[in-house]
Amino acid sequence: MLKKSLHTLRYIGWAEGSSFLILLLIAMPLKYFFDMPKAVLFVGMAHGALFVLYLLSLAWVTLLHRWSIGRVFVAFIAAFIPFGPFLLDRRLR
């Protein structure tokens, strides 16, 4: 169960980080430079759902592994930084 929780956090982190990059690098330029706002609508919705899953997974890992406040804070902030979840993944491995 302990190992599975970390794997889940890592996989959701990859998905959330990827959706964030797609939102920043593809969907937002499509909206602002090519007047295609639907890209942000769909990618943003997917990213929002993945962000919530990431936070739930982080809470699960925190409870099971008894992570310190500092470690939880770093994992939380990683979700707001482009490439942050990928860097966190390297530390978790």
Side-chain angles (χ1 to χ4, degrees):
M1 182 75 114
L2 291 176
K3 193 173 185 179
K4 182 179 180 182
S5 64
L6 280 176
H7 283 289
T8 302
L9 179 64
R10 289 179 59 214
Y11 292 138
I12 293 173
W14 269 86
E16 191 272 338
S18 298
S19 72
F20 187 41
L21 290 175
I22 291 168
L23 183 64
L24 290 177
L25 300 175
I26 297 172
M28 290 182 74
L30 285 174
K31 177 181 179 177
Y32 292 109
F33 297 125
F34 300 103
D35 197 30
M36 297 174 66
K38 291 218 186 237
V40 171
L41 176 69
F42 296 120
V43 176
M45 206 176 330
H47 172 67
L50 287 167
F51 181 74
V52 170
L53 284 174
Y54 179 80
L55 292 180
L56 291 172
S57 180
L58 178 60
W60 184 36
V61 166
T62 299
L63 292 173
L64 286 178
H65 293 267
R66 299 186 187 269
W67 275 11
S68 68
I69 297 289
R71 183 176 255 187
V72 173
F73 181 74
V74 167
F76 178 75
I77 293 301
F80 293 95
I81 300 169
F83 300 102
F86 307 114
L87 297 173
L88 179 67
D89 180 63
R90 291 185 79 188
R91 289 186 71 189
L92 291 177
R93 248 187 300 144

